Short mmCIF file of all heavy atoms in Angstrom, two decimals:
data_model
loop_
_atom_site.label_atom_id
_atom_site.label_comp_id
_atom_site.label_asym_id
_atom_site.label_seq_id
_atom_site.Cartn_x
_atom_site.Cartn_y
_atom_site.Cartn_z
N PRO S 1 261.07 30.38 6.76
CA PRO S 1 262.15 30.50 5.79
C PRO S 1 263.03 29.26 5.76
O PRO S 1 263.41 28.71 6.78
CB PRO S 1 262.94 31.72 6.30
CG PRO S 1 262.58 31.86 7.74
CD PRO S 1 261.18 31.35 7.87
N GLY S 2 263.35 28.83 4.53
CA GLY S 2 264.20 27.68 4.34
C GLY S 2 263.98 27.09 2.96
O GLY S 2 263.35 27.70 2.09
N TYR S 3 264.51 25.91 2.75
CA TYR S 3 264.33 25.25 1.47
C TYR S 3 264.12 23.77 1.70
O TYR S 3 265.00 23.08 2.25
CB TYR S 3 265.51 25.45 0.54
CG TYR S 3 265.42 24.64 -0.74
CD1 TYR S 3 264.53 24.99 -1.74
CD2 TYR S 3 266.20 23.52 -0.92
CE1 TYR S 3 264.41 24.24 -2.89
CE2 TYR S 3 266.10 22.74 -2.08
CZ TYR S 3 265.20 23.12 -3.05
OH TYR S 3 265.08 22.37 -4.21
N ASN S 4 262.95 23.26 1.32
CA ASN S 4 262.67 21.84 1.45
C ASN S 4 261.52 21.48 0.53
O ASN S 4 260.45 22.08 0.59
CB ASN S 4 262.32 21.49 2.89
CG ASN S 4 262.20 19.99 3.11
OD1 ASN S 4 263.05 19.23 2.67
ND2 ASN S 4 261.16 19.55 3.78
N ASP S 5 261.74 20.52 -0.38
CA ASP S 5 260.67 19.94 -1.16
C ASP S 5 260.01 18.82 -0.38
O ASP S 5 260.51 18.39 0.67
CB ASP S 5 261.22 19.39 -2.48
CG ASP S 5 261.55 20.49 -3.49
OD1 ASP S 5 260.96 21.58 -3.40
OD2 ASP S 5 262.40 20.25 -4.39
N GLY S 6 258.88 18.31 -0.93
CA GLY S 6 258.20 17.21 -0.30
C GLY S 6 256.75 17.53 0.00
O GLY S 6 256.13 18.37 -0.66
N PRO S 7 256.15 16.87 0.99
CA PRO S 7 254.76 17.13 1.35
C PRO S 7 254.51 18.60 1.67
O PRO S 7 255.37 19.28 2.25
CB PRO S 7 254.55 16.24 2.58
CG PRO S 7 255.58 15.16 2.46
CD PRO S 7 256.77 15.80 1.81
N ILE S 8 253.36 19.09 1.28
CA ILE S 8 253.02 20.49 1.51
C ILE S 8 253.23 20.89 2.96
O ILE S 8 253.72 21.98 3.26
CB ILE S 8 251.55 20.75 1.07
CG1 ILE S 8 251.49 20.88 -0.46
CG2 ILE S 8 251.00 22.01 1.73
CD1 ILE S 8 250.10 21.12 -0.99
N ALA S 9 252.86 20.00 3.87
CA ALA S 9 252.93 20.33 5.30
C ALA S 9 254.35 20.56 5.80
O ALA S 9 254.53 21.23 6.83
CB ALA S 9 252.26 19.22 6.12
N THR S 10 255.35 20.03 5.11
CA THR S 10 256.73 20.16 5.59
C THR S 10 257.62 20.95 4.63
O THR S 10 258.83 21.02 4.84
CB THR S 10 257.36 18.77 5.84
OG1 THR S 10 257.31 18.01 4.62
CG2 THR S 10 256.58 18.03 6.91
N ALA S 11 257.04 21.52 3.57
CA ALA S 11 257.83 22.28 2.60
C ALA S 11 258.23 23.64 3.16
O ALA S 11 257.51 24.22 3.97
CB ALA S 11 257.05 22.46 1.31
N TYR S 12 259.37 24.15 2.71
CA TYR S 12 259.87 25.47 3.11
C TYR S 12 260.12 26.32 1.88
O TYR S 12 260.57 25.83 0.85
CB TYR S 12 261.16 25.35 3.92
CG TYR S 12 260.98 24.88 5.34
CD1 TYR S 12 260.76 23.54 5.63
CD2 TYR S 12 261.06 25.78 6.40
CE1 TYR S 12 260.62 23.12 6.95
CE2 TYR S 12 260.92 25.36 7.71
CZ TYR S 12 260.68 24.03 7.98
OH TYR S 12 260.54 23.61 9.27
N PHE S 13 259.85 27.61 2.02
CA PHE S 13 260.18 28.62 1.02
C PHE S 13 260.98 29.71 1.70
O PHE S 13 260.96 29.85 2.94
CB PHE S 13 258.90 29.22 0.40
CG PHE S 13 257.99 28.22 -0.24
CD1 PHE S 13 257.01 27.57 0.49
CD2 PHE S 13 258.10 27.91 -1.58
CE1 PHE S 13 256.15 26.64 -0.08
CE2 PHE S 13 257.25 26.99 -2.16
CZ PHE S 13 256.28 26.37 -1.42
N LYS S 14 261.67 30.53 0.88
CA LYS S 14 262.43 31.64 1.43
C LYS S 14 262.19 32.87 0.55
O LYS S 14 262.66 32.93 -0.57
CB LYS S 14 263.92 31.31 1.50
CG LYS S 14 264.72 32.31 2.33
CD LYS S 14 266.16 31.85 2.50
CE LYS S 14 266.94 32.79 3.40
NZ LYS S 14 268.36 32.35 3.57
N ASN S 15 261.41 33.77 1.07
CA ASN S 15 261.03 34.99 0.36
C ASN S 15 260.36 34.68 -0.98
O ASN S 15 260.79 35.19 -2.03
CB ASN S 15 262.22 35.92 0.16
CG ASN S 15 262.80 36.43 1.47
OD1 ASN S 15 262.09 36.53 2.45
ND2 ASN S 15 264.08 36.73 1.48
N PRO S 16 259.30 33.85 -0.98
CA PRO S 16 258.58 33.62 -2.25
C PRO S 16 257.96 34.92 -2.72
O PRO S 16 257.27 35.61 -1.98
CB PRO S 16 257.54 32.59 -1.87
CG PRO S 16 257.30 32.80 -0.39
CD PRO S 16 258.63 33.22 0.16
N ALA S 17 258.21 35.29 -4.00
CA ALA S 17 257.84 36.61 -4.48
C ALA S 17 256.55 36.64 -5.29
O ALA S 17 255.81 37.62 -5.23
CB ALA S 17 258.97 37.21 -5.31
N ASP S 18 256.29 35.58 -6.06
CA ASP S 18 255.13 35.62 -6.93
C ASP S 18 254.63 34.22 -7.16
O ASP S 18 255.34 33.21 -6.93
CB ASP S 18 255.48 36.29 -8.25
CG ASP S 18 254.26 36.75 -9.05
OD1 ASP S 18 253.16 36.84 -8.45
OD2 ASP S 18 254.38 37.03 -10.25
N ILE S 19 253.37 34.12 -7.63
CA ILE S 19 252.72 32.84 -7.86
C ILE S 19 251.86 32.95 -9.10
O ILE S 19 251.27 33.99 -9.39
CB ILE S 19 251.88 32.43 -6.62
CG1 ILE S 19 251.22 31.06 -6.83
CG2 ILE S 19 250.84 33.50 -6.31
CD1 ILE S 19 250.60 30.53 -5.54
N CYS S 20 251.80 31.87 -9.89
CA CYS S 20 250.88 31.81 -11.01
C CYS S 20 250.30 30.41 -11.08
O CYS S 20 250.87 29.44 -10.57
CB CYS S 20 251.56 32.19 -12.35
SG CYS S 20 252.69 30.95 -13.03
N ALA S 21 249.14 30.30 -11.73
CA ALA S 21 248.43 29.03 -11.82
C ALA S 21 248.75 28.33 -13.11
O ALA S 21 248.77 28.96 -14.18
CB ALA S 21 246.92 29.26 -11.69
N GLY S 22 248.99 27.03 -13.04
CA GLY S 22 249.16 26.21 -14.21
C GLY S 22 247.90 25.41 -14.50
O GLY S 22 246.79 25.95 -14.49
N THR S 23 248.05 24.11 -14.74
CA THR S 23 246.89 23.24 -14.90
C THR S 23 246.16 23.10 -13.59
O THR S 23 246.63 23.56 -12.55
CB THR S 23 247.33 21.86 -15.41
OG1 THR S 23 248.32 21.31 -14.51
CG2 THR S 23 247.92 21.97 -16.81
N SER S 24 244.98 22.49 -13.62
CA SER S 24 244.11 22.44 -12.46
C SER S 24 244.84 21.94 -11.22
O SER S 24 245.40 20.84 -11.18
CB SER S 24 242.92 21.53 -12.75
OG SER S 24 242.06 21.44 -11.62
N GLY S 25 244.85 22.79 -10.16
CA GLY S 25 245.46 22.41 -8.90
C GLY S 25 246.97 22.56 -8.82
O GLY S 25 247.56 22.18 -7.82
N VAL S 26 247.60 23.12 -9.87
CA VAL S 26 249.04 23.29 -9.89
C VAL S 26 249.41 24.76 -9.90
O VAL S 26 248.82 25.55 -10.64
CB VAL S 26 249.66 22.59 -11.13
CG1 VAL S 26 251.15 22.89 -11.25
CG2 VAL S 26 249.43 21.09 -11.06
N PHE S 27 250.38 25.13 -9.07
CA PHE S 27 250.83 26.51 -8.96
C PHE S 27 252.35 26.56 -9.01
O PHE S 27 253.03 25.66 -8.53
CB PHE S 27 250.33 27.15 -7.65
CG PHE S 27 248.83 27.20 -7.56
CD1 PHE S 27 248.11 26.14 -7.04
CD2 PHE S 27 248.13 28.31 -8.01
CE1 PHE S 27 246.72 26.17 -6.97
CE2 PHE S 27 246.76 28.35 -7.95
CZ PHE S 27 246.05 27.29 -7.42
N TYR S 28 252.87 27.64 -9.60
CA TYR S 28 254.31 27.85 -9.71
C TYR S 28 254.70 29.07 -8.90
O TYR S 28 254.03 30.11 -8.93
CB TYR S 28 254.71 28.02 -11.18
CG TYR S 28 254.43 26.78 -12.01
CD1 TYR S 28 253.25 26.68 -12.74
CD2 TYR S 28 255.31 25.73 -12.04
CE1 TYR S 28 252.97 25.55 -13.48
CE2 TYR S 28 255.06 24.60 -12.79
CZ TYR S 28 253.89 24.51 -13.50
OH TYR S 28 253.62 23.37 -14.25
N ILE S 29 255.83 28.95 -8.19
CA ILE S 29 256.29 29.97 -7.27
C ILE S 29 257.67 30.45 -7.67
O ILE S 29 258.58 29.64 -7.91
CB ILE S 29 256.38 29.43 -5.83
CG1 ILE S 29 255.11 28.65 -5.42
CG2 ILE S 29 256.68 30.56 -4.84
CD1 ILE S 29 253.89 29.47 -5.34
N ALA S 30 257.83 31.78 -7.76
CA ALA S 30 259.17 32.37 -7.87
C ALA S 30 259.73 32.50 -6.47
O ALA S 30 259.39 33.43 -5.74
CB ALA S 30 259.10 33.72 -8.58
N ASP S 31 260.57 31.54 -6.07
CA ASP S 31 261.08 31.46 -4.70
C ASP S 31 262.36 32.28 -4.63
O ASP S 31 263.46 31.77 -4.81
CB ASP S 31 261.30 29.99 -4.33
CG ASP S 31 261.48 29.77 -2.84
OD1 ASP S 31 261.36 30.74 -2.07
OD2 ASP S 31 261.74 28.62 -2.44
N GLY S 32 262.19 33.55 -4.33
CA GLY S 32 263.23 34.56 -4.51
C GLY S 32 264.58 34.25 -3.91
O GLY S 32 265.60 34.16 -4.60
N SER S 33 264.64 34.09 -2.59
CA SER S 33 265.92 33.91 -1.93
C SER S 33 266.49 32.51 -2.07
O SER S 33 267.65 32.28 -1.76
CB SER S 33 265.82 34.29 -0.44
OG SER S 33 265.58 35.68 -0.30
N ASN S 34 265.69 31.56 -2.53
CA ASN S 34 266.20 30.25 -2.87
C ASN S 34 266.66 30.16 -4.32
O ASN S 34 267.16 29.12 -4.77
CB ASN S 34 265.16 29.16 -2.61
CG ASN S 34 265.05 28.81 -1.12
OD1 ASN S 34 266.04 28.78 -0.41
ND2 ASN S 34 263.83 28.55 -0.67
N ASN S 35 266.43 31.24 -5.07
CA ASN S 35 266.87 31.33 -6.47
C ASN S 35 266.34 30.17 -7.32
O ASN S 35 267.02 29.64 -8.22
CB ASN S 35 268.39 31.39 -6.55
CG ASN S 35 268.96 32.58 -5.82
OD1 ASN S 35 268.73 33.72 -6.20
ND2 ASN S 35 269.69 32.33 -4.75
N CYS S 36 265.12 29.74 -7.00
CA CYS S 36 264.51 28.59 -7.66
C CYS S 36 263.07 28.90 -8.09
O CYS S 36 262.44 29.82 -7.56
CB CYS S 36 264.45 27.37 -6.73
SG CYS S 36 266.03 26.71 -6.22
N ILE S 37 262.59 28.10 -9.02
CA ILE S 37 261.18 28.08 -9.36
C ILE S 37 260.60 26.81 -8.79
O ILE S 37 261.07 25.70 -9.10
CB ILE S 37 260.96 28.13 -10.90
CG1 ILE S 37 261.72 29.32 -11.49
CG2 ILE S 37 259.49 28.20 -11.21
CD1 ILE S 37 261.38 30.66 -10.88
N ARG S 38 259.59 26.94 -7.94
CA ARG S 38 259.00 25.83 -7.24
C ARG S 38 257.59 25.53 -7.77
O ARG S 38 256.95 26.40 -8.37
CB ARG S 38 258.91 26.11 -5.73
CG ARG S 38 260.21 26.66 -5.10
CD ARG S 38 261.24 25.59 -4.90
NE ARG S 38 260.87 24.63 -3.87
CZ ARG S 38 260.95 24.88 -2.54
NH1 ARG S 38 261.35 26.05 -2.10
NH2 ARG S 38 260.63 23.95 -1.67
N LYS S 39 257.12 24.34 -7.52
CA LYS S 39 255.82 23.90 -7.98
C LYS S 39 255.03 23.32 -6.82
O LYS S 39 255.56 22.50 -6.05
CB LYS S 39 255.97 22.86 -9.09
CG LYS S 39 254.69 22.20 -9.56
CD LYS S 39 255.00 21.13 -10.61
CE LYS S 39 253.85 20.29 -10.99
NZ LYS S 39 254.19 19.25 -11.99
N ILE S 40 253.78 23.73 -6.67
CA ILE S 40 252.86 23.15 -5.70
C ILE S 40 251.79 22.40 -6.45
O ILE S 40 251.05 22.98 -7.25
CB ILE S 40 252.21 24.21 -4.80
CG1 ILE S 40 253.27 24.99 -4.01
CG2 ILE S 40 251.20 23.58 -3.85
CD1 ILE S 40 252.69 26.11 -3.18
N ASP S 41 251.69 21.10 -6.24
CA ASP S 41 250.64 20.28 -6.83
C ASP S 41 249.65 19.94 -5.70
O ASP S 41 249.92 19.08 -4.87
CB ASP S 41 251.22 19.02 -7.45
CG ASP S 41 250.19 18.25 -8.29
OD1 ASP S 41 248.99 18.37 -8.01
OD2 ASP S 41 250.60 17.55 -9.23
N THR S 42 248.51 20.64 -5.70
CA THR S 42 247.54 20.43 -4.63
C THR S 42 246.81 19.09 -4.78
O THR S 42 246.21 18.62 -3.82
CB THR S 42 246.51 21.59 -4.59
OG1 THR S 42 245.77 21.62 -5.82
CG2 THR S 42 247.21 22.91 -4.38
N ASN S 43 246.86 18.50 -5.97
CA ASN S 43 246.27 17.18 -6.16
C ASN S 43 247.05 16.11 -5.44
O ASN S 43 246.49 15.11 -4.99
CB ASN S 43 246.18 16.85 -7.66
CG ASN S 43 245.47 17.91 -8.47
OD1 ASN S 43 244.29 18.17 -8.28
ND2 ASN S 43 246.18 18.59 -9.37
N LEU S 44 248.37 16.30 -5.35
CA LEU S 44 249.26 15.34 -4.70
C LEU S 44 249.73 15.83 -3.33
O LEU S 44 250.43 15.10 -2.63
CB LEU S 44 250.49 15.08 -5.58
CG LEU S 44 250.22 14.54 -6.99
CD1 LEU S 44 251.53 14.45 -7.78
CD2 LEU S 44 249.53 13.18 -6.93
N ASP S 45 249.37 17.09 -2.97
CA ASP S 45 249.87 17.71 -1.72
C ASP S 45 251.39 17.67 -1.69
O ASP S 45 251.99 17.27 -0.70
CB ASP S 45 249.28 17.02 -0.49
CG ASP S 45 247.80 17.30 -0.30
OD1 ASP S 45 247.32 18.33 -0.81
OD2 ASP S 45 247.12 16.48 0.34
N TRP S 46 252.02 18.12 -2.77
CA TRP S 46 253.46 17.96 -2.92
C TRP S 46 254.10 19.23 -3.49
O TRP S 46 253.53 19.88 -4.36
CB TRP S 46 253.75 16.79 -3.86
CG TRP S 46 255.15 16.27 -3.77
CD1 TRP S 46 256.20 16.59 -4.58
CD2 TRP S 46 255.65 15.33 -2.82
NE1 TRP S 46 257.33 15.91 -4.21
CE2 TRP S 46 257.03 15.14 -3.11
CE3 TRP S 46 255.09 14.66 -1.74
CZ2 TRP S 46 257.83 14.27 -2.38
CZ3 TRP S 46 255.89 13.80 -1.00
CH2 TRP S 46 257.24 13.61 -1.33
N VAL S 47 255.28 19.57 -2.97
CA VAL S 47 256.07 20.70 -3.45
C VAL S 47 257.36 20.16 -4.07
O VAL S 47 258.01 19.28 -3.49
CB VAL S 47 256.41 21.67 -2.31
CG1 VAL S 47 257.33 22.79 -2.80
CG2 VAL S 47 255.14 22.27 -1.72
N SER S 48 257.71 20.68 -5.25
CA SER S 48 258.93 20.26 -5.92
C SER S 48 259.61 21.46 -6.55
O SER S 48 259.03 22.54 -6.66
CB SER S 48 258.63 19.20 -6.99
OG SER S 48 257.70 19.71 -7.96
#
């Protein structure tokens, strides 16, 4: 639990509730307790 963007290996989420797929290798997260919408780009290994 926490909040941190950046490389996948060091990213933090807090009560992520749902996930959906965007373009190839991209996923969007409803990060519930952070009150944010997050993005995982597996092509770049990056969370924003």
